[in-house]
Amino acid sequence: MLLFFLNVAGAAALLIYAVRMVRTGVERAFAPQLRRWLRVSARNRLVAAGSGATVALLMQSSTAVAVLAAGFVTAGTISAGVGLAMHLGADIGSALVVQALVLRPVWLAPLLLLIGVASFLRTQEKPGRQIGRILIGLALTFVALDMIAHASAPIRDLAGLPSVAGFLQQDLVSTFALGAALAWVIHSSVAAVLMVMVFATQGLLTIPVAAALVLGANLGGSFIAVMLTLGAATGARQMVWANALVRGGGAAACLAVLNLAPHDWSWLGADPGQQVINLHLIFNLGVAVIGLALIPALLFVLARAIPQRPDPALSQDLPGALDPAALAEPERALACAAREVLHMGETAEAMLRLVMPLFTRWNRTESAAIAEAELRLDRMHAATKAYLARLDTPTEDPELARRAAELVEQAAHFEAAGDAVARMSFGLARKLGAEGLTFAPDDRRELQDFHDSVLTTAQTALQVQMTRNPAAARDLVAQKESVRRQEQALQQAHMARLRQANPESTATSNIHQELLRELKQINTCFAMVAYPILTESGDLLDTRLRRA
């Protein structure tokens, strides 16, 4: 029995890891493209639902799409209604993932392993390595499913199995709660449904029990995004709660119908495993159809249940990490200063994330919140410099002095990024609103794309600041160069519209070009995180000039 539990637990752990491995590879390789695709699809709710389904199918996670959509809602790029449509579509996409992972030929896993390992080991560039990671993750998913099936086969002969199955079938409410807990604990409804499917195929679960577990997994999966966005802006929280209500409520309603009378499950498929995954897909299709029709009503109710509040990203004022008692211990003091500098970066990133809606509709309250955050950045910058100036660094240890200088420099870069965001808010956005101007549609789309690219750099920079990974730092510098080329292309596209005498482009030309320059400067400020790391690892050239 112990060997059985060990085998099943190991196979389940491999399945969870493989699903996350695929999602990580897709995020690292194609995150900017997927973000841009989701944002562009926001013009129509049906299109938004379709794009949400497609991205969830690629990332094997509806939660990842929900977090992306919540970020867009927070930044004002899309409305909460469009974000909810994406989330509902993503639930369909995650259900299609289950279908795709189950209906595969037997030779696919070894082929994916062969190609994936070769791509990961022989390719040093980011897309190639991450594509290899994705293929390896898919292959390991198939291996894990086969391991679960093989490990669970002997349990069919256990004498106590009928009594356990009978108890679960008599109390479908507890079974439903068990399915919700399973999806919540492993943080993946895809992995939970796959495990239920394998157990049903092996005859360990009857169809009513498997159906209750699948419905419960949908409830548990819907609350993962709710917990991940507890600190998000109001619109983002309304979006994920609306999805949880319609998906969780639909699961509870289906469970009630299941409890009323026996059902003929043969119409769902020829075997128990097929019936389980088809039920999961049909349920999510039905929830999406009902949810899309109820979007206005859901958001109307939740607007009263979750009232508007100041954005937590700007109102949050955490206590400083600069501990005066640590100054006598240089290593500890540097760790305190590093946490304070990271908090500066998080504040500047939050300001950047929230500034673009002001170019659509000027809001004095939100602009004042950005200004207050900028003043807080100034205070943190001054305090960090004063703290490091008092640091007791031994003269015989130049390494400590170098690290202190790096922190001072990075604090200055984050403070400069905050200054640039404040100029965008009180200078450019207020000017646009005061003069009653609006960007031309093409100009607005390009500016939103460019802002999203810079925001991606900022978020990557904060990860590099925490991990100090040289490979991630190299990717950050490459991303900086990509943004520089993007800015040049956008300047040329804007000039082409001016030559065509586009009246909207002409009226907003100065603001447009200044906004591009400010965003480019912010991108550089965040990307500077990478240079000390690459200097230390020996990956940085002394000069870009060609030697004589």
Side-chain angles (χ1 to χ4, degrees):
M1 180 60 70
L2 178 61
L3 182 61
F4 159 73
F5 281 116
L6 184 62
N7 287 335
V8 171
L14 179 61
L15 175 63
I16 296 167
Y17 173 76
V19 170
R20 294 190 179 185
M21 187 177 184
V22 174
R23 182 171 72 243
T24 300
V26 173
E27 287 176 346
R28 292 181 180 178
F30 307 111
Q33 294 90 334
L34 294 177
R35 288 166 62 94
R36 188 172 299 115
W37 187 12
L38 284 174
R39 191 176 60 254
V40 169
S41 68
R43 299 172 185 140
N44 181 284
R45 286 180 180 174
L46 288 177
V47 176
S51 67
T54 304
V55 175
L57 183 60
L58 293 173
M59 302 182 75
Q60 295 197 0
S61 171
S62 61
T63 303
V65 177
V67 172
L68 286 174
F72 293 145
V73 173
T74 299
T77 306
I78 64 175
S79 67
V82 171
L84 177 55
M86 288 180 181
H87 199 349
L88 293 167
D91 294 335
I92 298 175
S94 68
L96 290 172
V97 168
V98 177
Q99 298 275 344
L101 292 176
V102 172
L103 305 175
R104 92 281 182 181
V106 294
W107 47 263
L108 186 57
L111 179 63
L112 291 177
L113 270 177
L114 181 63
I115 299 174
V117 171
S119 176
F120 187 82
L121 294 180
R122 295 180 62 87
T123 308
Q124 296 302 319
E125 296 301 322
K126 180 177 178 179
R129 287 180 66 85
Q130 298 310 321
I131 289 173
R133 183 189 300 272
I134 293 167
L135 297 179
I136 294 171
L138 287 172
L140 291 180
T141 302
F142 301 148
V143 171
L145 292 174
D146 291 339
M147 287 177 61
I148 292 174
H150 178 73
S152 59
I155 201 174
R156 286 177 295 183
D157 301 326
L158 290 180
L161 181 61
S163 60
V164 173
F167 170 77
L168 291 175
Q169 187 154 346
Q170 289 175 2
D171 188 2
L172 292 182
V173 174
S174 297
T175 305
F176 177 77
L178 179 63
L182 176 64
W184 171 256
V185 168
I186 65 178
H187 259 47
S188 173
S189 60
V190 170
V193 172
L194 285 171
M195 283 191 278
V196 172
M197 180 275 302
V198 173
F199 291 145
T201 302
Q202 293 295 314
L204 305 179
L205 299 173
T206 62
I207 292 302
V209 171
L213 287 171
V214 167
L215 292 172
N218 278 277
L219 172 65
S222 69
F223 276 94
I224 297 173
V226 170
M227 299 305 295
L228 291 177
T229 57
L230 284 178
T234 303
R237 288 183 294 122
Q238 291 171 354
M239 177 199 81
V240 294
W241 269 107
N243 178 269
L245 286 177
V246 70
R247 192 176 175 198
C254 288
L255 180 70
V257 173
L258 184 62
N259 266 321
L260 290 177
H263 295 275
D264 179 18
W265 301 95
S266 60
W267 65 277
L268 286 172
D271 62 86
Q274 193 67 44
Q275 291 168 3
V276 167
I277 62 174
N278 285 343
L279 171 66
H280 181 53
L281 177 60
I282 292 171
F283 169 77
N284 281 282
L285 283 170
V287 165
V289 171
I290 295 172
L292 287 171
L294 294 178
I295 283 177
L298 287 168
L299 294 180
F300 178 81
V301 172
L302 286 169
R304 283 147 182 78
I306 307 176
Q308 193 73 29
R309 70 180 185 187
D311 196 285
L314 295 185
S315 60
Q316 187 179 33
D317 196 0
L318 298 177
L322 305 176
D323 183 6
L327 286 170
E329 303 176 43
E331 289 288 348
R332 183 178 158 207
L334 286 174
C336 292
R339 288 199 301 273
E340 187 74 358
V341 171
L342 180 62
H343 181 37
M344 289 182 63
E346 291 170 341
T347 303
E349 185 268 339
M351 294 167 62
L352 173 65
R353 180 160 32 92
L354 301 171
V355 74
M356 283 305 287
L358 298 178
F359 287 89
T360 301
R361 181 179 57 84
W362 168 255
N363 186 303
R364 183 179 296 276
T365 302
E366 294 177 3
S367 183
I370 290 176
E372 174 58 32
E374 196 273 330
L375 291 175
R376 194 161 62 248
L377 262 183
D378 289 344
R379 291 195 295 269
M380 285 190 287
H381 181 213
T384 302
K385 286 192 296 183
Y387 184 82
L388 290 173
R390 295 167 55 200
L391 182 62
D392 185 15
T393 54
T395 55
E396 67 274 8
D397 194 346
E399 175 64 17
L400 289 176
R402 181 188 64 79
R403 288 165 57 192
E406 286 178 4
L407 288 172
V408 170
E409 183 179 6
Q410 191 54 54
H413 288 308
F414 286 149
E415 194 270 339
D419 286 344
V421 175
R423 288 195 298 270
M424 289 167 56
S425 169
F426 266 95
L428 302 179
R430 182 169 61 174
K431 181 179 178 181
L432 192 74
E435 297 181 4
L437 300 174
T438 56
F439 290 120
D442 288 342
D443 287 336
R444 179 178 301 282
R445 176 182 54 79
E446 290 178 355
L447 287 170
Q448 288 176 340
D449 286 346
F450 191 58
H451 171 265
D452 189 64
S453 297
V454 176
L455 186 60
T456 301
T457 298
Q459 293 166 347
T460 303
L462 295 179
Q463 295 173 4
V464 172
Q465 177 86 357
M466 288 187 290
T467 63
R468 298 188 65 82
N469 185 315
R474 289 181 66 93
D475 290 340
L476 180 58
V477 173
Q479 195 168 318
K480 170 181 175 287
E481 292 303 308
S482 174
V483 169
R484 181 180 62 83
R485 292 190 296 270
Q486 184 182 2
E487 188 265 345
Q488 292 175 345
L490 293 181
Q491 292 282 14
Q492 293 171 4
H494 179 68
M495 292 302 297
R497 282 190 288 275
L498 292 182
R499 285 193 290 270
Q500 296 169 2
N502 185 314
E504 288 181 307
S505 295
T506 302
T508 59
S509 179
N510 289 343
I511 296 176
H512 182 109
Q513 292 187 307
E514 288 180 39
L515 181 55
L516 285 177
R517 285 192 292 269
E518 293 285 12
L519 287 171
K520 179 185 175 184
Q521 179 62 32
I522 293 169
N523 186 78
T524 300
C525 289
F526 277 99
M528 293 304 293
V529 168
Y531 288 92
I533 300 170
L534 295 178
T535 300
E536 186 178 354
S537 65
D539 289 330
L540 201 64
L541 297 175
D542 293 334
T543 177
R544 294 171 63 182
L545 293 174
R546 179 182 299 171
R547 297 189 182 278

